[in-house]
Amino acid sequence: MERTNTNRQRTLLRKGLKELSRHRPDLAIETLRLAVDAIPPACGEELSSALYWLSIALLRLDRRELAIKSLASAQKLRPRGHARSIYLRSINGYGMLRQPTPALDDFYAFTNIQMATYLLRKPRRRFDSFQERDIVLKLILDAWKTLASGGAFDGMECCEKLDYFRRVRPNFPSFGFDANQRGAKRLAFAFGQTSGDAATQRCACGSGLPAIQCCGRVKSLREL
Ligand SMILES: [Zn+2]
Protein backbone atom coordinates (compact mmCIF):
# COMPACT_ATOMS: atom_id res chain seq x y z
CA MET A 1 0.00 0.00 0.00
CA GLU A 2 2.78 2.38 1.00
CA ARG A 3 4.73 1.62 -2.13
CA THR A 4 1.66 2.35 -4.26
CA ASN A 5 1.27 5.74 -2.60
CA THR A 6 4.91 6.59 -3.13
CA ASN A 7 4.61 5.62 -6.77
CA ARG A 8 1.54 7.82 -7.16
CA GLN A 9 3.31 10.81 -5.62
CA ARG A 10 6.32 10.39 -7.90
CA THR A 11 4.14 9.94 -10.96
CA LEU A 12 2.19 13.11 -10.15
CA LEU A 13 5.36 15.09 -9.54
CA ARG A 14 6.91 13.83 -12.78
CA LYS A 15 3.75 14.55 -14.71
CA GLY A 16 3.58 18.07 -13.28
CA LEU A 17 7.16 18.77 -14.30
CA LYS A 18 6.47 17.45 -17.77
CA GLU A 19 3.50 19.83 -18.16
CA LEU A 20 5.70 22.66 -16.97
CA SER A 21 8.42 21.85 -19.49
CA ARG A 22 5.76 21.74 -22.20
CA HIS A 23 4.71 25.28 -21.28
CA ARG A 24 1.37 24.20 -19.89
CA PRO A 25 1.50 25.78 -16.44
CA ASP A 26 -2.27 25.50 -15.86
CA LEU A 27 -2.11 21.70 -16.21
CA ALA A 28 1.11 21.66 -14.18
CA ILE A 29 -0.65 23.51 -11.33
CA GLU A 30 -3.48 20.99 -11.30
CA THR A 31 -1.14 18.01 -11.18
CA LEU A 32 1.34 19.50 -8.73
CA ARG A 33 -1.51 20.38 -6.35
CA LEU A 34 -2.51 16.72 -6.38
CA ALA A 35 1.12 15.80 -5.72
CA VAL A 36 1.29 18.22 -2.76
CA ASP A 37 -1.89 16.69 -1.31
CA ALA A 38 -0.61 13.15 -1.83
CA ILE A 39 2.82 13.58 -0.22
CA PRO A 40 2.73 13.06 3.57
CA PRO A 41 4.28 15.83 5.71
CA ALA A 42 6.93 13.37 6.89
CA CYS A 43 8.48 13.36 3.38
CA GLY A 44 9.80 16.91 3.77
CA GLU A 45 12.23 16.98 0.85
CA GLU A 46 9.75 15.62 -1.64
CA LEU A 47 6.98 17.88 -0.41
CA SER A 48 9.27 20.89 -0.57
CA SER A 49 10.17 20.01 -4.13
CA ALA A 50 6.51 19.69 -5.19
CA LEU A 51 5.66 23.01 -3.49
CA TYR A 52 8.63 24.68 -5.15
CA TRP A 53 7.62 23.54 -8.63
CA LEU A 54 4.02 24.50 -7.90
CA SER A 55 5.20 28.03 -7.10
CA ILE A 56 7.14 28.17 -10.38
CA ALA A 57 4.00 27.10 -12.30
CA LEU A 58 1.94 29.74 -10.45
CA LEU A 59 4.55 32.39 -11.27
CA ARG A 60 4.35 31.49 -14.95
CA LEU A 61 0.67 32.42 -14.83
CA ASP A 62 1.47 35.53 -12.80
CA ARG A 63 -0.49 34.21 -9.80
CA ARG A 64 2.15 35.72 -7.61
CA GLU A 65 0.38 35.82 -4.25
CA LEU A 66 -0.30 32.11 -4.31
CA ALA A 67 3.23 31.49 -5.60
CA ILE A 68 4.64 33.21 -2.51
CA LYS A 69 2.44 31.07 -0.27
CA SER A 70 3.78 27.95 -1.93
CA LEU A 71 7.39 29.15 -1.77
CA ALA A 72 6.99 30.05 1.90
CA SER A 73 5.90 26.49 2.66
CA ALA A 74 8.64 24.99 0.46
CA GLN A 75 11.45 26.93 2.14
CA LYS A 76 10.26 25.98 5.62
CA LEU A 77 10.65 22.32 4.76
CA ARG A 78 14.10 22.79 3.25
CA PRO A 79 15.82 25.81 4.75
CA ARG A 80 18.97 25.32 2.70
CA GLY A 81 17.29 24.61 -0.61
CA HIS A 82 16.77 26.63 -3.75
CA ALA A 83 13.26 27.67 -2.66
CA ARG A 84 14.73 29.65 0.24
CA SER A 85 16.87 31.93 -1.94
CA ILE A 86 14.06 32.62 -4.42
CA TYR A 87 11.65 33.24 -1.56
CA LEU A 88 13.98 35.74 0.09
CA ARG A 89 14.50 37.56 -3.20
CA SER A 90 10.73 37.82 -3.74
CA ILE A 91 9.54 39.12 -0.38
CA ASN A 92 9.74 42.43 1.45
CA GLY A 93 10.14 43.18 5.16
CA TYR A 94 6.53 42.15 5.79
CA GLY A 95 7.02 38.75 4.23
CA MET A 96 4.79 39.88 1.38
CA LEU A 97 5.45 39.98 -2.32
CA ARG A 98 7.97 42.79 -2.90
CA GLN A 99 6.47 45.87 -4.59
CA PRO A 100 8.35 48.34 -6.84
CA THR A 101 8.83 50.88 -3.99
CA PRO A 102 8.99 50.73 -0.16
CA ALA A 103 6.02 53.13 0.00
CA LEU A 104 3.95 50.61 -1.95
CA ASP A 105 5.16 47.82 0.36
CA ASP A 106 3.73 49.82 3.30
CA PHE A 107 0.52 50.58 1.45
CA TYR A 108 -0.15 46.93 0.57
CA ALA A 109 0.66 45.77 4.10
CA PHE A 110 -1.78 48.29 5.56
CA THR A 111 -4.52 47.52 3.03
CA ASN A 112 -4.15 43.76 3.50
CA ILE A 113 -4.32 43.97 7.27
CA GLN A 114 -7.38 46.19 7.20
CA MET A 115 -9.20 44.13 4.57
CA ALA A 116 -8.45 40.95 6.50
CA THR A 117 -9.67 42.55 9.74
CA TYR A 118 -12.95 43.25 8.03
CA LEU A 119 -13.36 40.01 6.07
CA LEU A 120 -12.41 37.64 8.88
CA ARG A 121 -15.39 38.90 10.81
CA LYS A 122 -17.69 37.73 8.08
CA PRO A 123 -18.86 34.12 8.11
CA ARG A 124 -17.94 33.57 4.45
CA ARG A 125 -14.86 35.77 4.51
CA ARG A 126 -15.81 37.67 1.42
CA PHE A 127 -17.75 40.71 0.25
CA ASP A 128 -21.41 40.15 -0.51
CA SER A 129 -21.69 43.03 -2.98
CA PHE A 130 -19.59 45.47 -4.98
CA GLN A 131 -21.15 48.28 -2.98
CA GLU A 132 -19.92 46.75 0.26
CA ARG A 133 -16.43 46.24 -1.15
CA ASP A 134 -16.25 49.82 -2.45
CA ILE A 135 -17.35 51.33 0.85
CA VAL A 136 -14.86 49.28 2.86
CA LEU A 137 -12.05 50.01 0.40
CA LYS A 138 -12.78 53.73 0.51
CA LEU A 139 -12.66 53.74 4.32
CA ILE A 140 -9.31 51.94 4.20
CA LEU A 141 -7.89 54.33 1.60
CA ASP A 142 -9.07 57.35 3.60
CA ALA A 143 -7.44 55.93 6.72
CA TRP A 144 -4.23 55.33 4.76
CA LYS A 145 -4.16 58.91 3.41
CA THR A 146 -4.50 60.34 6.90
CA LEU A 147 -1.85 57.99 8.24
CA ALA A 148 0.69 58.45 5.45
CA SER A 149 0.35 62.24 5.30
CA GLY A 150 1.08 62.52 9.03
CA GLY A 151 4.47 60.82 8.58
CA ALA A 152 3.90 59.03 11.91
CA PHE A 153 5.71 55.86 10.87
CA ASP A 154 8.63 57.35 8.96
CA GLY A 155 11.86 55.64 9.94
CA MET A 156 10.14 52.70 11.67
CA GLU A 157 11.09 49.07 11.01
CA CYS A 158 8.45 46.89 9.30
CA CYS A 159 7.51 45.09 12.52
CA GLU A 160 6.95 48.43 14.30
CA LYS A 161 4.88 49.64 11.36
CA LEU A 162 2.80 46.46 11.51
CA ASP A 163 1.92 47.11 15.14
CA TYR A 164 1.03 50.64 14.17
CA PHE A 165 -1.10 49.56 11.20
CA ARG A 166 -2.99 47.05 13.33
CA ARG A 167 -3.97 49.70 15.81
CA VAL A 168 -5.74 51.78 13.15
CA ARG A 169 -9.43 50.87 13.24
CA PRO A 170 -11.55 52.42 10.50
CA ASN A 171 -15.19 52.63 11.47
CA PHE A 172 -16.42 49.80 9.24
CA PRO A 173 -20.16 49.45 8.61
CA SER A 174 -21.68 46.19 9.83
CA PHE A 175 -23.67 45.22 6.69
CA GLY A 176 -25.95 43.03 8.74
CA PHE A 177 -23.33 40.91 10.51
CA ASP A 178 -21.82 41.13 13.93
CA ALA A 179 -18.70 43.17 13.33
CA ASN A 180 -17.54 43.17 16.92
CA GLN A 181 -15.51 40.32 18.34
CA ARG A 182 -16.34 37.52 15.98
CA GLY A 183 -13.10 37.44 14.00
CA ALA A 184 -10.59 38.37 16.66
CA LYS A 185 -9.29 34.82 17.13
CA ARG A 186 -9.24 34.06 13.43
CA LEU A 187 -7.34 37.28 12.82
CA ALA A 188 -4.69 36.30 15.35
CA PHE A 189 -4.46 32.92 13.63
CA ALA A 190 -4.19 34.39 10.14
CA PHE A 191 -1.45 36.82 11.04
CA GLY A 192 0.36 34.87 13.70
CA GLN A 193 1.04 36.22 17.15
CA THR A 194 4.07 38.08 15.96
CA SER A 195 4.34 41.70 16.81
CA GLY A 196 7.07 43.94 18.15
CA ASP A 197 10.25 42.11 19.18
CA ALA A 198 8.78 38.66 18.54
CA ALA A 199 8.48 39.50 14.84
CA THR A 200 12.22 40.03 14.45
CA GLN A 201 13.21 36.94 16.44
CA ARG A 202 13.81 33.57 14.79
CA CYS A 203 10.57 31.87 13.86
CA ALA A 204 9.39 29.13 16.20
CA CYS A 205 9.03 26.68 13.28
CA GLY A 206 12.81 26.35 13.10
CA SER A 207 13.25 27.79 9.61
CA GLY A 208 15.97 30.13 10.86
CA LEU A 209 14.21 33.19 9.41
CA PRO A 210 12.76 36.09 11.40
CA ALA A 211 9.13 35.29 12.26
CA ILE A 212 7.89 38.28 10.26
CA GLN A 213 9.31 36.72 7.10
CA CYS A 214 8.13 33.21 7.91
CA CYS A 215 5.04 32.01 9.79
CA GLY A 216 4.23 35.54 10.95
CA ARG A 217 4.36 37.09 7.48
CA VAL A 218 1.46 39.27 6.31
CA LYS A 219 -0.58 36.87 4.24
CA SER A 220 -2.40 37.84 1.09
CA LEU A 221 -6.19 38.00 1.09
CA ARG A 222 -6.27 34.92 -1.12
CA GLU A 223 -4.83 32.94 1.76
CA LEU A 224 -7.65 33.82 4.16
ZN1 LIG B 1 8.12 29.85 10.52
Side-chain angles (χ1 to χ4, degrees):
M1 184 68 187
E2 201 153 285
R3 179 178 284 270
T4 318
N5 279 345
T6 312
N7 283 343
R8 179 165 180 263
Q9 296 155 20
R10 296 216 173 110
T11 310
L12 285 168
L13 191 53
R14 256 202 319 269
K15 201 173 151 223
L17 290 177
K18 205 182 239 175
E19 301 293 7
L20 203 53
S21 69
R22 287 177 178 164
H23 307 289
R24 293 194 294 221
D26 47 339
L27 293 178
I29 289 169
E30 237 172 73
T31 316
L32 290 168
R33 278 204 174 123
L34 291 175
V36 168
D37 289 341
I39 301 170
C43 305
E45 295 235 337
E46 212 172 350
L47 189 52
S48 173
S49 173
L51 284 161
Y52 169 75
W53 287 110
L54 176 59
S55 77
I56 298 295
L58 287 162
L59 279 176
R60 297 249 168 104
L61 286 182
D62 212 29
R63 292 162 72 177
R64 299 170 38 150
E65 289 179 345
L66 287 176
I68 290 293
K69 180 189 175 197
S70 218
L71 262 182
S73 305
Q75 62 87 28
K76 262 184 228 171
L77 291 161
R78 260 179 101 184
R80 272 176 279 280
H82 193 47
R84 165 68 59 97
S85 51
I86 297 192
Y87 174 70
L88 288 179
R89 276 207 303 274
S90 312
I91 58 165
N92 59 27
Y94 299 104
M96 299 174 75
L97 195 66
R98 193 192 297 277
Q99 299 297 327
T101 66
L104 274 176
D105 285 332
D106 291 341
F107 171 73
Y108 278 99
F110 179 79
T111 313
N112 254 39
I113 287 170
Q114 295 299 338
M115 285 279 234
T117 305
Y118 181 82
L119 288 175
L120 285 169
R121 286 171 180 163
K122 300 198 53 141
R124 289 162 67 216
R125 300 188 186 189
R126 59 172 194 240
F127 295 111
D128 295 318
S129 67
F130 291 118
Q131 187 208 21
E132 179 189 10
R133 189 199 61 190
D134 291 349
I135 290 172
V136 169
L137 201 55
K138 185 171 183 313
L139 282 169
I140 293 174
L141 291 179
D142 287 347
W144 172 253
K145 273 185 211 154
T146 310
L147 197 68
S149 63
F153 54 87
D154 290 352
M156 283 186 189
E157 295 294 329
C158 285
C159 55
E160 295 171 294
K161 283 190 256 191
L162 270 188
D163 282 346
Y164 198 82
F165 293 167
R166 283 182 185 128
R167 285 200 295 270
V168 177
R169 292 283 162 91
N171 199 7
F172 291 129
S174 70
F175 283 102
F177 67 94
D178 174 18
N180 294 321
Q181 276 309 306
R182 187 164 192 155
K185 267 192 193 151
R186 277 183 283 179
L187 190 68
F189 171 76
F191 291 104
Q193 304 296 334
T194 42
S195 62
D197 289 344
T200 54
Q201 282 162 10
R202 300 258 170 257
C203 191
C205 77
S207 68
L209 288 180
I212 196 174
Q213 292 191 318
C214 189
C215 302
R217 74 196 167 86
V218 178
K219 294 177 181 73
S220 73
L221 294 176
R222 305 202 56 173
E223 295 177 52
L224 290 183

